[in-house]
Amino acid sequence: MNDGDVSRQIQQMVRFIRQEAEEKANEISVSAEENQEFNIEKLQIVEADRRKIRQEYERKGKQVEIRKKIEYSMQLNASRIKVLQAQDDLVNSIKESARKELVRLSNDKRGYEKLLKALVVESLVRLRETAVLLRCREVDRKVVESVLEEAKREYADKIKVATPKVTIDNVYLPPPPTKADSHQPYCSGGAVLASEDGKIVLENTLDARLDVAFRQKLPQIRRCLVGQGGPSSWYGHGCEADKDSST
C-alpha cells in the first residue's frame, strides 16, 4: 500500500469520525432542547399550581376573616341586646316603684283630697265647658263629692265665668291595683272629665300623668341611671345637670 492509499484511508476515517461526532453532537443538542422544553413546561405547571394554592389560601383566609367579623358582630349585637334589656328592666322597675307611690298617695286621705280637687280644677280649666261629665273610681266618689263644689268655685273665680255644671258619672274607673291580680285593669286615682257631648275627653288620672311624665323624662332617667360612661357615670355630672335643670 502506497502513501496515497494510506492518505485516502486516513481521510475516510477522519470523515467517518467527524460524521459520527456531528451526529452525536446533533443528538446531544436535540436532547438538550427537549430537556429544556421539559424543564420550562415543568416550571410552568409548578407555577400554575402555586398560583392555585395561593388563590385558594387567600380565598379561605377571606372566608375565615368574614366568619370572624360575623361572629364578632353577632356577639356585639347580643351584648347590646343584653345591655338594652337590662336598661329596660331597670327603667321599668323605677316606673313600677313610682306606681306604688301613687297608691300610697291615694291612701293619704287629706293629701289625696287636695290633689283630687286640684286635678278637677285643672281639668275644668283645660276643658272650659259649661257642662261636664266627671268619671272617678267608685272608692273616690265620696271624696269627689266633698271637693267638687269648692273645685267648681275655684275654677269659676280663676277663669271669671259662671260655675259649670258637673255630673258625676255612674260608670266608674277601674278600682285601685291589688297584688292578687296585677293583670286586671286598675286606676291609682284621679279623674276623667269630658264635655257633655263626649267629643272632648281629658284623662287626668294619676296613672295617665305618670305615663306622660315618664315619657317626657325617659331620656333624662336613662342618662342618670345608665349614662354614656357606664355605671361609673350614674352618680356623675349627667344627673347633677338634670337635677339643676329641674330646679
Side-chain angles (χ1 to χ4, degrees):
M1 182 179 294
N2 56 32
D3 291 338
D5 292 334
V6 172
S7 178
R8 281 194 298 273
Q9 287 181 354
I10 291 172
Q11 289 177 356
Q12 287 177 352
M13 291 175 65
V14 169
R15 281 197 299 272
F16 178 75
I17 292 170
R18 181 177 294 171
Q19 184 178 354
E20 278 192 341
E22 289 176 353
E23 290 176 355
K24 194 67 177 177
N26 287 334
E27 289 178 2
I28 293 171
S29 177
V30 170
S31 177
E33 289 177 359
E34 290 178 350
N35 287 336
Q36 186 176 6
E37 290 176 358
F38 172 76
N39 289 333
I40 292 172
E41 186 176 354
K42 183 175 73 173
L43 288 173
Q44 289 175 344
I45 293 172
V46 171
E47 185 60 30
D49 288 340
R50 285 178 177 172
R51 282 198 300 270
K52 288 181 181 178
I53 292 171
R54 283 197 299 268
Q55 290 172 354
E56 184 68 14
Y57 178 80
E58 290 174 358
R59 186 181 67 83
K60 290 186 176 180
K62 288 179 180 178
Q63 288 180 344
V64 170
E65 191 65 27
I66 290 172
R67 279 201 302 270
K68 286 182 179 179
K69 288 181 179 179
I70 291 173
E71 290 174 359
Y72 174 76
S73 179
M74 292 175 64
Q75 291 174 357
L76 186 62
N77 287 335
S79 298
R80 285 174 177 168
I81 290 172
K82 286 182 180 179
V83 170
L84 291 174
Q85 185 60 54
Q87 291 179 5
D88 287 341
D89 291 344
L90 185 58
V91 169
N92 288 334
S93 68
I94 293 171
K95 190 173 183 180
E96 186 59 31
S97 297
R99 288 195 186 279
K100 291 178 181 178
E101 286 297 311
L102 294 182
V103 175
R104 186 190 63 78
L105 178 63
S106 63
N107 290 332
D108 177 10
K109 185 176 180 181
R110 183 168 296 182
Y112 185 57
E113 284 181 359
K114 291 178 61 177
L115 175 61
L116 197 53
K117 187 190 78 169
L119 292 175
V120 172
V121 172
E122 180 185 63
S123 300
L124 291 173
V125 169
R126 293 177 65 182
L127 287 173
R128 300 203 179 195
E129 295 284 326
T130 56
V132 173
L133 184 66
L134 184 151
R135 182 173 295 177
C136 62
R137 301 184 302 179
E138 188 173 9
V139 295
D140 290 340
R141 185 176 184 106
K142 290 184 178 179
V143 180
V144 171
E145 290 174 344
S146 68
V147 301
L148 186 56
E149 291 302 319
E150 187 178 351
K152 288 161 56 177
R153 286 195 300 271
E154 186 174 327
Y155 159 73
D157 292 341
K158 182 178 293 189
I159 305 300
K160 308 301 181 187
V161 294
T163 303
K165 174 187 175 185
V166 179
T167 305
I168 300 176
D169 198 350
N170 289 322
V171 178
Y172 298 106
L173 296 176
T178 61
K179 295 181 180 179
D181 191 353
S182 59
H183 298 291
Q184 289 295 326
Y186 65 86
C187 177
S188 300
V192 175
L193 279 76
S195 58
E196 197 171 37
D197 57 10
K199 291 182 178 180
I200 305 174
V201 178
L202 181 61
E203 188 174 0
N204 215 356
T205 63
L206 300 185
D207 302 289
R209 293 179 71 94
L210 175 62
D211 289 339
V212 171
F214 209 80
R215 282 197 300 270
Q216 292 175 346
K217 294 293 184 179
L218 187 57
Q220 178 180 327
I221 292 171
R222 288 188 182 278
R223 284 197 302 271
C224 287
L225 292 175
V226 294
Q228 297 177 352
S232 62
S233 66
W234 292 5
Y235 306 102
H237 298 293
C239 291
E240 292 300 324
D242 293 331
K243 188 186 298 182
D244 292 342
S245 64
S246 64
T247 56

